[in-house]
Amino acid sequence: MAAQVAGESSYVAAFLDAHRDQVFGGLYRREGANLRAVESEMVATPAALLDWVKQRSANESVSWISMDPEKVTTEDAWRERAEHGENVELSTSVLAPMIGRIGRMRALEGRLTDALGLDAEYVRRPDAEVFWKGKAKGGD
């Protein structure tokens, strides 16, 4: 999704609705024609994502993109970003062409993997499973 952004800021923030009043998002820094993740993507409240992006973008302008812009633009913390001319571009839900371009680019760079090496970060475990595993590890 971040690769679709039209803005030309040094940073790109992309996010989507993760449900349960949270978003899944990431911050990327432009490196020529490429985008590199500043840190691992995360699931957070919209307010926490805004704060995280602010801290890691060194107060530079950020180009934003999402399929669910209202998840962040309704937050009080968004007003400051909007006052500095930032907005959230609306992403298309048709991501296959961009994913294909990214895959081709990585193949040309020799950055290949197999199905077992992929990590499905977009799959969110249910709270019951997360809390059960955490409790089992804690020995309670």
Side-chain angles (χ1 to χ4, degrees):
M1 187 180 346
Q4 297 178 43
V5 78
E8 297 181 6
S9 299
S10 297
Y11 289 93
V12 175
F15 64 92
L16 55 96
D17 187 358
H19 300 285
R20 302 179 200 159
D21 297 321
Q22 295 179 316
V23 292
F24 176 80
L27 179 65
Y28 308 88
R29 181 152 179 82
R30 290 188 194 273
E31 294 181 358
N34 297 321
L35 293 173
R36 298 284 178 228
V38 172
E39 289 183 21
S40 294
E41 293 87 356
M42 61 188 266
V43 174
T45 64
L49 177 72
L50 286 165
D51 185 54
W52 182 77
V53 168
K54 181 178 181 177
Q55 290 175 15
R56 279 144 186 91
S57 64
N59 288 324
E60 289 188 42
S61 179
V62 176
S63 296
W64 295 78
I65 189 163
S66 179
M67 290 180 221
D68 310 293
E70 71 284 351
K71 294 295 178 184
V72 165
T73 58
T74 56
E75 294 292 316
D76 290 339
W78 178 256
R79 285 190 204 119
E80 181 182 340
R81 301 208 81 95
E83 288 171 2
H84 289 95
E86 294 182 14
N87 62 7
V88 180
E89 295 177 34
L90 186 60
S91 170
T92 177
S93 60
V94 181
L95 300 176
M98 187 57 67
I99 292 168
R101 282 188 212 117
I102 292 168
R104 182 179 186 280
M105 182 178 64
R106 289 187 179 175
L108 291 172
E109 294 171 352
R111 295 173 47 202
L112 302 172
T113 189
D114 60 20
L116 295 176
L118 297 174
D119 185 16
E121 290 186 31
Y122 58 88
V123 177
R124 181 173 176 167
R125 301 200 189 310
D127 285 344
E129 181 180 346
V130 171
F131 295 135
W132 174 77
K133 284 185 176 184
K135 189 170 185 169
K137 288 181 182 177
D140 293 347

